[in-house]
Amino acid sequence: MKKLIAFFILTALIACSNEDQTAPSLEASIKDSSVLTGKMLSFKTEESFIKEYSDLAKLNSEEIKNWVSSKKMVSLLNTSDTSKGIEADAVPESRLVYSDALEAILNSESKVKIGDRVLWLNELNFYILPANDIDKSADELLSIKNNLEVFGQLLSSSQLKKSTTGRDVLPNENRVKTFASAEMNVSGSRLRHVVDVFNETIVLNDKIYTSKMYIRSILQYRSCSTFSCSWKEASNLRMLDSDFCQSCVPGAWGVIARVSTTSPVSGTQTYQIANWAPYTPLALYPNFYILGPITCQIYGTVGFSSMELSWY
């Protein structure tokens, strides 16, 4: 009997050991998806590029930063300014926003290699760079971008059911809706919580590869000089929570993920909240829908804000 029990224990240990070896962590699997070629990441195919992007989109902001560090690359995420465009009291109705996942993959000059093509992202277009232009700076490329071939897009076609090339489009592709809370007075500082709800739809070679909905949370403080005041990113710790309607989303978007921190966060935080997945065999292109509040509690203080979010 003792031998039989020992046999089962040994079998279980071996099974667990094999499971550990065959189920690598998400971070480890992401590391193997791309290689650093010169100053940019290189992918074998469009599919491997999208897979890495989608894997990164599931991580929180700190995990993505750690992944970027492991790649030994200066990414766009390292150099971008998340408060750009929202320094004034009135936030714009819309602005250009990229996800942390996309900025992590692009180098500081917004370049990436897929197959034998080097692509440069400028605003909403992926341009193919000829061999002679690969090492040019962003400023140099801007002067010749009208001569470059467009290979992919982050295209906003909210009023169309078909793109100019005939492909189906998702309503409100790559649009952004920005919300700003009322001011919170915390220990003499004037703070506000700014939230972007945005869509990121990646089109390569005229094919929709992925469409995701994100929420970006930014805490800002009021900074004043002799002549003017503006809003800058604050470093205060905060807790976030949301209460979105779970039965309002069209089926192709699935259930909206809840934004709820279990420990205090600081800096800009980006969360994937929904992922478009067309039904088979009929691909549906429904508009996204969100309803409900997101709250921000300044950690250790009475500073609190709540905003009702919505989409177009």
Side-chain angles (χ1 to χ4, degrees), residues 41 44 58 69 91 99 127 138 155 214 239 244 251 259 262 282-283 285 298:
L41 292 182
K44 291 182 179 180
K58 300 172 185 175
S69 297
V91 297
S99 70
Y127 295 94
L155 184 63
Y214 294 93
M239 301 290 289
F244 302 135
V259 176
T262 56
L282 178 63
Y285 298 84
I298 308 303

Side-chain angles (χ1 to χ4, degrees), residues 28-98:
S29 65
I30 292 176
K31 288 180 180 178
D32 294 334
S33 300
S34 62
V35 295
L36 185 63
T37 303
K39 296 181 180 180
M40 71 187 77
L41 292 182
S42 176
F43 298 86
K44 291 182 179 180
T45 63
E46 288 91 341
E47 288 76 14
S48 62
F49 168 78
I50 294 299
K51 180 185 182 303
E52 181 148 316
Y53 162 79
S54 296
D55 286 344
L56 286 169
K58 300 172 185 175
L59 304 182
N60 63 41
S61 295
E62 289 305 313
E63 290 170 332
I64 292 180
K65 289 177 183 177
N66 291 337
W67 178 87
V68 170
S69 297
S70 73
K71 286 296 185 180
K72 310 298 182 184
M73 177 188 72
V74 180
S75 74
L76 186 61
L77 185 64
N78 298 126
T79 58
S80 61
D81 180 5
T82 54
S83 285
K84 185 177 181 180
I86 52 173
E87 300 94 340
D89 289 336
V91 297
E93 290 186 4
S94 186
R95 61 195 177 97
L96 183 63
V97 175
Y98 301 136

Side-chain angles (χ1 to χ4, degrees), residues 127-128 130 133 141-150:
Y127 295 94
I128 298 176
D133 297 326
L141 292 173
L142 282 173
S143 65
I144 63 169
K145 75 172 186 177
N146 291 336
N147 300 323
L148 299 176
E149 179 184 351
V150 175

Side-chain angles (χ1 to χ4, degrees), residues 80-253:
S80 61
D81 180 5
T82 54
S83 285
K84 185 177 181 180
I86 52 173
E87 300 94 340
D89 289 336
V91 297
E93 290 186 4
S94 186
R95 61 195 177 97
L96 183 63
V97 175
Y98 301 136
S99 70
D100 286 0
L102 183 58
E103 288 191 343
I105 288 177
L106 300 173
N107 71 6
S108 59
E109 296 179 329
S110 300
K111 297 174 184 176
V112 65
K113 186 175 183 181
I114 301 178
D116 58 357
R117 300 182 181 93
V118 173
L119 304 180
W120 170 57
L121 177 62
N122 176 247
E123 295 185 347
L124 296 177
N125 286 331
F126 281 103
Y127 295 94
I128 298 176
L129 297 183
N132 294 336
D133 297 326
I134 290 175
D135 294 326
K136 288 184 177 179
S137 67
D139 289 338
E140 291 173 317
L141 292 173
L142 282 173
S143 65
I144 63 169
K145 75 172 186 177
N146 291 336
N147 300 323
L148 299 176
E149 179 184 351
V150 175
F151 179 74
Q153 298 162 318
L154 302 177
L155 184 63
S156 177
S157 304
S158 58
Q159 303 303 317
L160 303 177
K161 292 185 178 179
K162 294 282 185 178
S163 72
T164 54
T165 57
R167 73 166 176 87
D168 292 297
V169 300
L170 285 158
N172 299 300
E173 287 180 0
N174 295 294
R175 295 190 74 179
V176 182
K177 197 168 186 179
T178 304
F179 303 81
S181 73
E183 285 190 21
M184 298 173 280
N185 293 312
V186 177
S187 302
S189 296
R190 298 166 63 184
L191 305 177
R192 73 175 182 180
H193 185 214
V194 178
V195 174
D196 293 316
V197 180
F198 66 99
N199 171 265
E200 195 164 75
T201 298
I202 298 180
V203 178
L204 297 174
N205 205 18
D206 211 37
K207 174 185 175 182
I208 298 179
Y209 273 89
T210 178
S211 184
K212 302 180 187 299
M213 293 298 305
Y214 294 93
I215 281 179
R216 171 168 291 173
S217 164
I218 306 170
L219 188 68
Q220 294 183 313
Y221 71 94
R222 183 76 164 165
S223 174
C224 293
S225 62
T226 304
F227 301 104
S228 64
C229 293
S230 63
W231 291 94
K232 298 181 179 180
E233 185 169 1
S235 58
N236 304 64
L237 294 173
R238 64 191 186 277
M239 301 290 289
L240 303 173
D241 197 13
S242 65
D243 186 18
F244 302 135
C245 175
Q246 297 297 303
S247 60
C248 306
V249 188
W253 284 103

